[in-house]
């Protein structure tokens, strides 16, 4: 089907010749006719869910973590939460609601900045400022930077190994007018920060290369002068990422809760995402002054703040319905969202180990969590069973 995004990519190739897969993905997702200009992208009526859409308990644990970080930093005022790739701002709204419940002093010190490449509608919320941009403003703020499933949405290059040689995939047009893959030889030096030194030995390997990470951290180091960075996303450590087991399996597409792997289908109507190589992410952060203070699965991270304990209590008390408990359990199910990674880094904060930081972090007994709303899967009006892709 000849969608506007497909036509724009076709025209770009006609004008300038084959484009890298990274440029293809940039146009398919973020051009004026790209996927992220569509209205219904997130949640039940959209293409995919993320953790914040399950239940506001996810945002509540993020708020708990942020409150603990604020205290560790000496309760600075003003304090910024900067969320890049905030999507429909579900996480932002729920984190703020959780902070009003948890800590009024933090709430009154706070500005929440939502930055996204797509327009964010937040309604009437005086604590949230929105910025329509793919960059952070270089204001050297004090606070916490948070992102959920941002890095996987950065346009990536695709590399392939054939007979000991490395190739990068470009997209051209064949004589029938269809897109075709073109492989061009590269060397390891072209992307030395992003490729493992043994890559040539992985004969037949194909996978994404997210070379935007360095620029991202560089930008963040200008945006955040003192504070923490919480990065939540899906991916693997380098050894697993660059392995034949994961070859051809690291790029995914999402359309109406169906996942696929062909980025040339439904161009402009489906999301395209790539798993994250977390070792490269850590290395890149280190280069720009961010110190690792914790790296967990999402399950470990949430449990370190008491989610497993809370779930046991919910089951024992029998006050929550089965559907809600099942949905919340998905957040720390290691084969689903619980298998996501959480990387916590700091900048200019005295060395902190997040495991220690979280040793006494629990949602205070008796306090309510933020309200379940229409956007959440746990909303009672949602169907009892729902075919779902969690990422
Ligand atoms: C997979 S969605 C995740 C949305 C949200 N964080 C969630 O968990 O539901 C990725 C979001 O990141 C945004 N995005 C991608 N690159 C960005 C950039 N460089 N700066 C700001 N937003 C970006 C996209 O527009 C999209 O809204």
């Amino acid at each position: 089907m000849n969608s506007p995004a497909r036509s724009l990519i076709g025209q770009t190739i006609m004008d300038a010749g084959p484009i890298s897969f990274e440029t293809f993905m940039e146009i398919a997702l973020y051009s004026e006719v790209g996927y992220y200009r569509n209205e219904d992208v997130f949640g039940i009526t959209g293409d995919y869910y993320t953790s914040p859409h399950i239940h506001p308990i996810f945002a509540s644990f993020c708020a708990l973590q942020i409150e603990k970080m604020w205290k560790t930093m000496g309760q600075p005022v003003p304090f910024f939460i900067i969320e890049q790739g905030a999507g429909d701002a579900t996480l932002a709204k729920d984190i703020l609601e959780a902070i009003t419940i948890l800590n009024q002093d933090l709430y009154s010190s706070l500005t929440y900045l939502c930055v996204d490449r797509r327009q964010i509608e937040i309604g009437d919320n005086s604590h949230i400022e929105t910025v329509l941009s793919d960059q952070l403003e270089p204001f050297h703020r004090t606070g916490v930077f948070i992102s959920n499933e941002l890095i996987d949405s950065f346009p990536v290059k695709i590399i392939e190994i054939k007979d000991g040689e490395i190739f990068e995939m470009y997209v051209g047009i064949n004589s029938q007018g269809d897109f075709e893959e073109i492989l061009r030889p590269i060397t390891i030096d072209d992307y030395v920060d992003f490729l493992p030194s043994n890559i040539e030995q992985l004969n037949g390997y194909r996978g994404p290369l997210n070379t935007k990470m360095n620029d991202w951290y560089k930008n963040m180091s200008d945006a955040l002068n003192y504070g923490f960075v919480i990065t939540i996303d899906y991916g693997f450590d380098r050894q697993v990422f660059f392995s034949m087991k994961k070859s051809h399996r690291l790029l995914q597409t999402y359309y109406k809760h169906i996942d696929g792997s062909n980025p040339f289908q439904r161009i402009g109507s489906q999301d395209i995402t790539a798993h994250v190589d977390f070792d490269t992410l850590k290395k890149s952060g280190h280069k720009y002054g961010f110190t690792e203070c914790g790296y967990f699965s999402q399950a470990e991270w949430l449990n370190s703040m008491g989610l497993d304990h809370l779930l046991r209590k919910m089951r024992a008390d029998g006050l929550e319905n089965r559907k809600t408990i099942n949905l919340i359990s998905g957040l720390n199910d290691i084969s689903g969202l619980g298998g996501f990674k959480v990387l916590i880094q700091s900048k200019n904060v005295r060395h902190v180990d997040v495991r220690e930081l979280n040793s006494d972090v629990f949602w205070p007994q008796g306090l309510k969590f933020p309200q379940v709303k229409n956007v959440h899967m746990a909303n009672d009006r949602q169907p009892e069973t729902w075919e779902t892709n969690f990422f």
Side-chain angles (χ1 to χ4, degrees):
M1 210 184 74
N2 214 7
S3 65
R6 194 185 190 290
S7 302
L8 182 58
I9 293 169
Q11 196 55 53
T12 309
I13 298 171
M14 302 285 247
D15 292 346
I19 54 175
S20 71
F21 183 78
E22 186 185 51
T23 307
F24 171 92
M25 191 165 159
E26 171 69 34
I27 302 174
L29 294 185
Y30 300 114
S31 67
E32 68 274 18
V33 287
Y35 171 74
Y36 275 105
R37 290 294 170 102
N38 298 332
E39 261 182 32
D40 262 355
V41 167
F42 309 106
I44 300 276
T45 53
D47 296 307
Y48 59 90
Y49 297 103
T50 57
S51 295
H53 295 108
I54 304 289
H55 190 283
I57 233 170
F58 180 76
S60 309
F61 279 89
C62 295
L64 260 181
Q65 180 72 93
I66 292 168
E67 188 207 24
K68 185 71 189 185
M69 289 169 167
W70 180 65
K71 287 181 174 164
T72 304
M73 290 165 65
Q75 310 196 2
V77 180
F79 191 74
F80 286 84
I81 301 177
I82 307 172
E83 186 187 350
Q84 191 175 7
D88 63 357
T90 297
L91 182 63
K93 290 177 194 163
D94 287 342
I95 285 181
L96 275 173
E97 194 179 331
I99 290 176
T100 59
I101 298 167
L102 272 177
N103 191 320
Q104 276 299 322
D105 289 342
L106 170 56
Y107 185 70
S108 53
S109 317
L110 192 64
T111 301
Y112 200 115
L113 292 178
C114 284
V115 184
D116 204 289
R117 295 185 78 165
R118 60 185 263 135
Q119 193 75 47
I120 303 173
E121 299 301 333
I122 43 118
D124 188 17
N125 194 323
S126 60
H127 271 71
I128 300 184
E129 286 177 20
T130 60
V131 182
L132 177 62
S133 178
D134 62 351
Q135 298 290 310
L136 304 166
E137 294 159 315
F139 289 152
H140 302 278
R141 312 269 197 200
T142 291
V144 171
F145 179 97
I146 185 165
S147 68
N148 185 60
E149 297 204 40
L150 166 69
I151 317 292
D152 71 65
S153 71
F154 288 174
V156 289
K157 299 175 191 303
I158 301 278
I159 56 129
E160 187 164 324
I161 314 301
K162 271 184 165 181
D163 301 326
E165 273 193 80
I166 317 170
F167 294 87
E168 180 177 343
M169 186 182 129
Y170 281 71
V171 183
I173 298 179
N174 66 19
S175 52
Q176 280 89 52
D178 296 325
F179 290 139
E180 65 173 357
E181 296 179 5
I182 298 166
L183 293 181
R184 291 185 174 165
I186 57 164
T187 71
I188 206 160
D189 292 340
D190 291 323
Y191 303 124
V192 72
D193 285 351
F194 306 96
L195 287 169
S197 54
N198 66 344
I199 187 74
E200 283 116 329
Q201 291 159 23
L202 285 181
N203 211 14
Y205 177 87
R206 176 186 274 214
L209 220 55
N210 187 335
T211 62
K212 305 256 181 220
M213 289 177 190
N214 281 345
D215 286 346
W216 180 62
Y217 273 113
K218 184 172 183 311
N219 182 213
M220 202 172 9
S221 71
D222 292 333
L224 187 73
N225 185 44
Y226 174 49
F228 289 91
V229 180
I230 305 173
T231 307
I232 308 165
D233 219 315
Y234 59 95
F236 302 103
D237 296 344
R238 186 172 258 211
Q239 236 189 333
V240 177
F241 191 94
F242 290 101
S243 70
M244 291 315 288
K245 207 172 138 204
K246 295 296 169 199
S247 173
H248 288 82
R249 310 183 87 173
L250 298 171
L251 192 85
Q252 271 169 305
T253 60
Y254 291 99
Y255 175 75
K256 302 277 171 228
H257 301 271
I258 300 165
D259 63 343
S261 59
N262 185 351
F264 296 143
Q265 282 177 343
R266 304 188 189 105
I267 299 169
S269 307
Q270 69 176 7
D271 193 15
I272 310 172
T273 75
H275 284 71
V276 177
D277 162 8
F278 272 88
D279 282 316
T280 302
L281 192 70
K282 289 179 203 173
K283 229 171 68 186
S284 183
H286 191 72
K287 195 165 164 174
Y288 289 97
F290 295 93
T291 308
E292 183 182 332
C293 37
Y295 175 57
F296 314 91
S297 66
Q298 178 167 303
E300 281 175 302
W301 181 58
L302 293 174
N303 291 343
S304 79
M305 292 182 282
L307 182 61
D308 50 354
H309 174 81
L310 190 79
L311 274 164
R312 275 198 300 277
K313 200 167 159 351
M314 280 177 174
R315 288 190 187 102
D317 291 352
L319 297 174
E320 293 289 346
N321 66 39
R322 181 182 55 85
K323 182 183 151 195
T324 303
I325 293 175
N326 286 346
L327 283 169
I328 297 173
S329 308
L331 293 170
N332 73 353
D333 172 1
I334 203 80
S335 64
L337 289 165
F340 275 40
K341 306 287 191 297
V342 181
L343 173 62
I344 300 188
Q345 296 156 304
S346 64
K347 185 167 173 209
N348 294 330
V349 180
R350 67 168 175 78
H351 180 70
V352 179
D353 179 336
V354 173
R355 274 171 226 274
E356 283 167 31
L357 196 72
N358 288 354
S359 61
D360 61 347
V361 183
F362 290 107
W363 190 263
Q365 208 166 0
L367 281 194
K368 290 212 168 352
F369 289 106
Q371 262 192 324
V372 173
K373 305 165 193 77
N374 284 343
V375 290
H376 298 115
M377 280 174 75
N379 188 303
D380 274 345
R381 274 168 288 162
Q382 313 296 1
E384 184 64 19
T385 53
W386 184 260
E387 285 297 320
T388 165
N389 283 303
F390 284 125
F391 51 89

